[in-house]
Amino acid sequence: MRQPTTDVAAIAAEIARIQAFPPDRLRRMWRAVFGRSPPASLGTGLLGRMIAWHIQERAFGGLDRDNLRFLDSLARGGHPRRCQLKPGTVLVRDYQGQRHTVTVGREGFEWQGTTYASLSAIARAITGTSWSGPRFFALKGPRDRATKPKRKSAVEVAQEQRRSPAATGNGSRPATSVNNAPPL
């Protein structure tokens, strides 16, 4: 294998050359690059792409620490730590008969002309009590579970049907997202 370089044209030529290698040469190159035999289940196309990726990584650098940590958490079955909302996303929440609109900005969340650092601060200002902002705006469920509805018994369904909006306490409805930016 040739010496790594940052010349884009030379790297592209090296990758094109690798893609034309026969299977036995790709396996030898794999051993030289990774220091062990390639897995038997990998086809020649994947062997060539992985070697090409390694060449590009050496020439241009690999992933940064945050991305490596994120990918590692996904590989272990975890979920991203935070909900990431794009600037410009508008959250709408009806609470006690009043509609509250929050716009996501680069520096925080804007509500009634004031920028707040968190959704929780806005939820506290709206309700007067301590709330999880993402939960208040229906971006996540209790204990960060997916908001998958649980099955209700016939008794629970009947009780809900008998209640009026005024009887449910605050008469609130979940937030909705506007501008085609779904909550993550």
Side-chain angles (χ1 to χ4, degrees):
M1 187 164 55
R2 295 180 183 166
Q3 290 292 344
T5 179
T6 56
D7 180 18
V8 177
I11 292 171
E14 176 77 8
I15 291 170
R17 194 173 66 82
I18 289 171
Q19 291 173 343
F21 284 170
D24 61 331
R25 180 129 185 232
L26 277 174
R27 287 185 182 85
R28 283 195 311 270
M29 183 175 238
W30 178 282
R31 281 191 282 286
V33 169
F34 295 106
R36 63 183 188 282
S37 296
S41 61
L42 291 184
T44 57
L46 191 53
L47 285 173
R49 285 192 296 270
M50 290 179 74
I51 292 169
W53 169 81
H54 184 73
I55 291 169
Q56 291 173 357
E57 181 186 38
R58 282 194 349 219
F60 302 118
L63 296 172
D64 62 7
R65 182 178 296 159
D66 290 337
N67 282 323
L68 287 172
R69 190 177 304 126
F70 173 74
L71 291 173
D72 187 52
S73 73
L74 289 179
R76 295 178 189 275
H79 299 284
R81 296 180 89 172
R82 270 180 76 155
C83 174
Q84 298 291 322
L85 297 172
K86 294 179 183 176
T89 299
V90 177
L91 302 172
V92 179
R93 171 72 148 95
D94 288 338
Y95 181 77
Q96 292 184 344
Q98 188 176 14
R99 179 161 286 182
H100 299 277
T101 303
V102 175
T103 304
V104 179
R106 294 195 187 281
E107 301 298 321
F109 303 91
E110 184 182 331
W111 174 67
Q112 293 186 344
T114 304
T115 301
Y116 292 81
S118 70
L119 287 174
S120 297
I122 296 171
R124 189 177 311 110
I126 292 170
T127 64
T129 60
S130 181
W131 268 85
S132 160
R135 186 167 177 203
F136 180 79
F137 286 97
L139 298 176
K140 68 179 182 179
R143 286 184 239 134
D144 201 19
R145 284 191 218 148
T147 56
K148 181 178 173 184
K150 70 170 195 162
R151 280 196 172 186
K152 297 179 182 176
S153 69
V155 173
E156 290 173 315
V157 171
Q159 287 173 343
E160 285 182 4
Q161 289 174 348
R162 284 194 299 264
R163 290 184 195 143
S164 67
T168 61
N170 59 23
S172 63
R173 295 188 313 216
T176 56
S177 178
V178 182
N179 82 350
N180 296 330
L184 299 175

